[in-house]
Amino acid sequence: MYSNSYVFRYAAIMVVLVAAALASVAMLLKPAQDRNVAIERMRNILAAANIEATADNAIDLFNKYIVEEEAISPKGEVVGVYKNQKLEKGDVRPFDINLKEELYKQSKGQDFIVPLYIADVNGKKLYIFPLLGRGLWGPIYGNLALEDDFVTVGGSMFGHEKETPGLGAEIQNPEFENQFLGKTIFDDKGNFTSIKVVKGASKVLTPEQYKHGVDAISGGTITSNGVSAMIQSNMSNYLEYIKKQKI
Amino acid sequence: MEAKEKVSLFSARNIKLLTNPLNLENPVTVQVLGICSALAVTAKLKPAFVMALSVVIVTAFSNLVISIIRNGIPPRIRIIVQLTVVATLVILVDQLLKAFVYDVSRQLSVFVGLIITNCILMGRLEAFAMANKPWQSFLDGIGNGLGYSWILLVLGFIRELFGSGTLWGYRVMPQAFYDLGYKNNGLIILPPMALILVGLIIWIQRSKSRELVDKS
């Protein structure tokens, strides 16, 4: 029969071997994986600028169209600038800012910074604001592009981790994203309205409200509400910056 | 040296290990195992293919590893050892997917990690690998993996074709159809429809192979 000491030794050796094997593989593959994650983020930012990129050309297209990256403080100051593939100001490349960590710092009342991507597409400037929020089952994210009036939406991209296919997951659908084109985040008096995702928006909102609203997803109410909240809270962090730009 | 029975690598018995699970012992339609991943990842053909390939590899190699070490495993921690082997292989596959086919790994997301909960694996380890030689176990793993795979590919093919009008991401449904009023079937993308399709496959299979029908 197998003695207890044999069982313990067997288990201990197996655990050590497995841990060593997995740790080495993870270390070996990490550079490739990180690169893939970065490429995915670049594709998402370009998508908000209505540029379709593949995994192969994402980096080139990103360098071509995103002409400047900025790090913005909640007071509206530009504390970091990355231009021409060089960090001109600040100590971290805005693309490398961990938005989740920064928003966490914000929730704890600490100082934080948020990134901003400035795209130049055939002479037209688009300001791309990254978004991070909560859906029903997990995180949702996105990028909102404003035209150079800082009021009109020029493009948008939304994504999720775990939302239900066919329901909340539909926020990824171009049909949902295209609704945002032409919508405005400020009303005529200059008040911040954000964009609200509302059930039956085209029918229940007044024409004035509909300038700042889009249709929610049937069966995806909570995810849709998550998108509204995400746009509202993330864009609020840039209000001071936008105020300074409009002067 | 004792004379060992020389069994060729691909003897008739060994070939049966590969072919039985394709039809009469199909893990999905006959043993009714691995259903949830069969429904979850078959909305499109490409993830279905990658998942199928992953399951074939993990089942085959975990069968192989367990068969090699089967005589030294303390019975008391048998299940734990099996779990560890499968989990390690699954994590390796997951890491490789994330590094080399990132877009597919995003579509498969949690389901690769859930391969370990796929009853097919533990089922084969207990029923076969613990009591058979390595090469046979390896073949059994491949056979069952392939049995699972063709079901997944059929589901992926049907669901993507009629649910999105594409195959492997390439548009296949002619635009002319859409102009005439044809619409993609949104229902077929949802999991319950996949279960109904599995039921239809079981129906067809049993009509063709009467021996599968329960004598009740």
mmCIF file of all heavy atoms in Angstrom, chain A residues 72-92:
data_model
loop_
_atom_site.group_PDB
_atom_site.id
_atom_site.type_symbol
_atom_site.label_atom_id
_atom_site.label_comp_id
_atom_site.label_asym_id
_atom_site.label_seq_id
_atom_site.Cartn_x
_atom_site.Cartn_y
_atom_site.Cartn_z
ATOM 1 N N ILE A 72 -3.845 63.979 -18.776
ATOM 2 C CA ILE A 72 -4.605 65.130 -18.272
ATOM 3 C C ILE A 72 -4.862 64.956 -16.784
ATOM 4 O O ILE A 72 -5.258 63.873 -16.333
ATOM 5 C CB ILE A 72 -5.970 65.218 -18.987
ATOM 6 C CG1 ILE A 72 -5.814 65.035 -20.492
ATOM 7 C CG2 ILE A 72 -6.686 66.502 -18.643
ATOM 8 C CD1 ILE A 72 -5.141 66.193 -21.166
ATOM 9 N N SER A 73 -4.667 66.021 -16.023
ATOM 10 C CA SER A 73 -5.039 65.977 -14.613
ATOM 11 C C SER A 73 -6.480 66.440 -14.499
ATOM 12 O O SER A 73 -6.991 67.112 -15.398
ATOM 13 C CB SER A 73 -4.120 66.893 -13.793
ATOM 14 O OG SER A 73 -4.544 68.238 -13.969
ATOM 15 N N PRO A 74 -7.157 66.086 -13.392
ATOM 16 C CA PRO A 74 -8.562 66.490 -13.250
ATOM 17 C C PRO A 74 -8.730 68.009 -13.256
ATOM 18 O O PRO A 74 -9.811 68.501 -13.532
ATOM 19 C CB PRO A 74 -8.984 65.916 -11.889
ATOM 20 C CG PRO A 74 -7.864 65.119 -11.393
ATOM 21 C CD PRO A 74 -6.698 65.218 -12.312
ATOM 22 N N LYS A 75 -7.643 68.730 -12.980
ATOM 23 C CA LYS A 75 -7.758 70.189 -13.018
ATOM 24 C C LYS A 75 -7.667 70.710 -14.445
ATOM 25 O O LYS A 75 -7.769 71.905 -14.683
ATOM 26 C CB LYS A 75 -6.628 70.824 -12.177
ATOM 27 C CG LYS A 75 -6.714 70.540 -10.703
ATOM 28 C CD LYS A 75 -5.840 71.504 -9.914
ATOM 29 C CE LYS A 75 -5.658 71.018 -8.491
ATOM 30 N NZ LYS A 75 -4.871 69.744 -8.436
ATOM 31 N N GLY A 76 -7.455 69.814 -15.377
ATOM 32 C CA GLY A 76 -7.421 70.229 -16.766
ATOM 33 C C GLY A 76 -6.034 70.538 -17.279
ATOM 34 O O GLY A 76 -5.879 71.030 -18.403
ATOM 35 N N GLU A 77 -5.004 70.249 -16.484
ATOM 36 C CA GLU A 77 -3.643 70.529 -16.933
ATOM 37 C C GLU A 77 -3.107 69.349 -17.733
ATOM 38 O O GLU A 77 -3.409 68.196 -17.443
ATOM 39 C CB GLU A 77 -2.717 70.765 -15.728
ATOM 40 C CG GLU A 77 -3.083 71.977 -14.911
ATOM 41 C CD GLU A 77 -2.730 71.764 -13.438
ATOM 42 O OE1 GLU A 77 -2.381 70.630 -13.053
ATOM 43 O OE2 GLU A 77 -2.834 72.747 -12.688
ATOM 44 N N VAL A 78 -2.282 69.711 -18.729
ATOM 45 C CA VAL A 78 -1.648 68.665 -19.525
ATOM 46 C C VAL A 78 -0.319 68.331 -18.858
ATOM 47 O O VAL A 78 0.654 69.069 -18.968
ATOM 48 C CB VAL A 78 -1.403 69.151 -20.966
ATOM 49 C CG1 VAL A 78 -0.743 68.048 -21.778
ATOM 50 C CG2 VAL A 78 -2.722 69.572 -21.608
ATOM 51 N N VAL A 79 -0.281 67.217 -18.150
ATOM 52 C CA VAL A 79 0.923 66.885 -17.385
ATOM 53 C C VAL A 79 1.832 65.913 -18.109
ATOM 54 O O VAL A 79 2.910 65.576 -17.622
ATOM 55 C CB VAL A 79 0.558 66.324 -15.989
ATOM 56 C CG1 VAL A 79 -0.179 67.377 -15.189
ATOM 57 C CG2 VAL A 79 -0.274 65.081 -16.132
ATOM 58 N N GLY A 80 1.390 65.426 -19.248
ATOM 59 C CA GLY A 80 2.237 64.492 -19.992
ATOM 60 C C GLY A 80 1.949 64.639 -21.477
ATOM 61 O O GLY A 80 0.799 64.838 -21.887
ATOM 62 N N VAL A 81 3.022 64.597 -22.282
ATOM 63 C CA VAL A 81 2.840 64.676 -23.734
ATOM 64 C C VAL A 81 3.752 63.659 -24.395
ATOM 65 O O VAL A 81 4.931 63.546 -24.060
ATOM 66 C CB VAL A 81 3.203 66.084 -24.273
ATOM 67 C CG1 VAL A 81 3.103 66.100 -25.793
ATOM 68 C CG2 VAL A 81 2.290 67.136 -23.673
ATOM 69 N N TYR A 82 3.186 62.910 -25.332
ATOM 70 C CA TYR A 82 3.972 61.947 -26.102
ATOM 71 C C TYR A 82 3.726 62.260 -27.563
ATOM 72 O O TYR A 82 2.597 62.207 -28.050
ATOM 73 C CB TYR A 82 3.532 60.530 -25.776
ATOM 74 C CG TYR A 82 4.327 59.438 -26.463
ATOM 75 C CD1 TYR A 82 5.503 58.953 -25.895
ATOM 76 C CD2 TYR A 82 3.890 58.887 -27.660
ATOM 77 C CE1 TYR A 82 6.225 57.938 -26.506
ATOM 78 C CE2 TYR A 82 4.606 57.882 -28.279
ATOM 79 C CZ TYR A 82 5.772 57.406 -27.701
ATOM 80 O OH TYR A 82 6.479 56.405 -28.317
ATOM 81 N N LYS A 83 4.816 62.665 -28.258
ATOM 82 C CA LYS A 83 4.650 63.097 -29.645
ATOM 83 C C LYS A 83 5.823 62.596 -30.462
ATOM 84 O O LYS A 83 6.945 62.574 -29.978
ATOM 85 C CB LYS A 83 4.672 64.641 -29.650
ATOM 86 C CG LYS A 83 3.629 65.299 -30.488
ATOM 87 C CD LYS A 83 3.591 66.767 -30.088
ATOM 88 C CE LYS A 83 3.131 67.651 -31.201
ATOM 89 N NZ LYS A 83 3.098 69.060 -30.799
ATOM 90 N N ASN A 84 5.582 62.251 -31.720
ATOM 91 C CA ASN A 84 6.659 61.770 -32.591
ATOM 92 C C ASN A 84 7.443 60.644 -31.946
ATOM 93 O O ASN A 84 8.670 60.620 -31.982
ATOM 94 C CB ASN A 84 7.626 62.922 -32.944
ATOM 95 C CG ASN A 84 6.911 64.062 -33.633
ATOM 96 O OD1 ASN A 84 6.015 63.839 -34.439
ATOM 97 N ND2 ASN A 84 7.284 65.277 -33.288
ATOM 98 N N GLN A 85 6.724 59.746 -31.327
ATOM 99 C CA GLN A 85 7.341 58.594 -30.660
ATOM 100 C C GLN A 85 8.340 59.008 -29.581
ATOM 101 O O GLN A 85 9.294 58.279 -29.304
ATOM 102 C CB GLN A 85 8.056 57.674 -31.675
ATOM 103 C CG GLN A 85 7.125 56.628 -32.265
ATOM 104 C CD GLN A 85 6.456 57.121 -33.542
ATOM 105 O OE1 GLN A 85 7.116 57.268 -34.539
ATOM 106 N NE2 GLN A 85 5.154 57.371 -33.462
ATOM 107 N N LYS A 86 8.125 60.202 -28.967
ATOM 108 C CA LYS A 86 9.036 60.621 -27.905
ATOM 109 C C LYS A 86 8.235 61.168 -26.742
ATOM 110 O O LYS A 86 7.236 61.879 -26.943
ATOM 111 C CB LYS A 86 9.970 61.727 -28.444
ATOM 112 C CG LYS A 86 11.350 61.224 -28.764
ATOM 113 C CD LYS A 86 12.371 62.312 -29.013
ATOM 114 C CE LYS A 86 11.870 63.664 -29.370
ATOM 115 N NZ LYS A 86 12.163 64.030 -30.762
ATOM 116 N N LEU A 87 8.676 60.872 -25.533
ATOM 117 C CA LEU A 87 8.002 61.413 -24.368
ATOM 118 C C LEU A 87 8.536 62.821 -24.133
ATOM 119 O O LEU A 87 9.680 62.994 -23.711
ATOM 120 C CB LEU A 87 8.269 60.521 -23.143
ATOM 121 C CG LEU A 87 7.454 60.848 -21.891
ATOM 122 C CD1 LEU A 87 5.972 60.671 -22.165
ATOM 123 C CD2 LEU A 87 7.874 59.953 -20.733
ATOM 124 N N GLU A 88 7.716 63.841 -24.463
ATOM 125 C CA GLU A 88 8.198 65.215 -24.349
ATOM 126 C C GLU A 88 7.932 65.814 -22.981
ATOM 127 O O GLU A 88 8.551 66.792 -22.595
ATOM 128 C CB GLU A 88 7.536 66.078 -25.432
ATOM 129 C CG GLU A 88 7.913 65.637 -26.841
ATOM 130 C CD GLU A 88 7.372 66.574 -27.908
ATOM 131 O OE1 GLU A 88 6.651 67.527 -27.538
ATOM 132 O OE2 GLU A 88 7.666 66.364 -29.082
ATOM 133 N N LYS A 89 6.948 65.263 -22.286
ATOM 134 C CA LYS A 89 6.624 65.836 -20.976
ATOM 135 C C LYS A 89 6.075 64.720 -20.105
ATOM 136 O O LYS A 89 5.419 63.791 -20.588
ATOM 137 C CB LYS A 89 5.578 66.941 -21.173
ATOM 138 C CG LYS A 89 5.310 67.769 -19.944
ATOM 139 C CD LYS A 89 4.367 68.929 -20.264
ATOM 140 C CE LYS A 89 4.042 69.701 -18.991
ATOM 141 N NZ LYS A 89 3.017 70.701 -19.191
ATOM 142 N N GLY A 90 6.340 64.823 -18.808
ATOM 143 C CA GLY A 90 5.801 63.817 -17.900
ATOM 144 C C GLY A 90 6.723 62.604 -17.825
ATOM 145 O O GLY A 90 7.715 62.501 -18.539
ATOM 146 N N ASP A 91 6.383 61.673 -16.933
ATOM 147 C CA ASP A 91 7.280 60.530 -16.790
ATOM 148 C C ASP A 91 6.672 59.205 -17.201
ATOM 149 O O ASP A 91 7.306 58.167 -17.075
ATOM 150 C CB ASP A 91 7.841 60.443 -15.346
ATOM 151 C CG ASP A 91 6.792 60.866 -14.330
ATOM 152 O OD1 ASP A 91 5.615 60.510 -14.518
ATOM 153 O OD2 ASP A 91 7.150 61.548 -13.353
ATOM 154 N N VAL A 92 5.454 59.213 -17.717
ATOM 155 C CA VAL A 92 4.919 57.957 -18.244
ATOM 156 C C VAL A 92 4.200 58.244 -19.552
ATOM 157 O O VAL A 92 3.531 59.271 -19.695
ATOM 158 C CB VAL A 92 3.974 57.277 -17.218
ATOM 159 C CG1 VAL A 92 2.732 58.124 -16.962
ATOM 160 C CG2 VAL A 92 3.551 55.910 -17.699
#
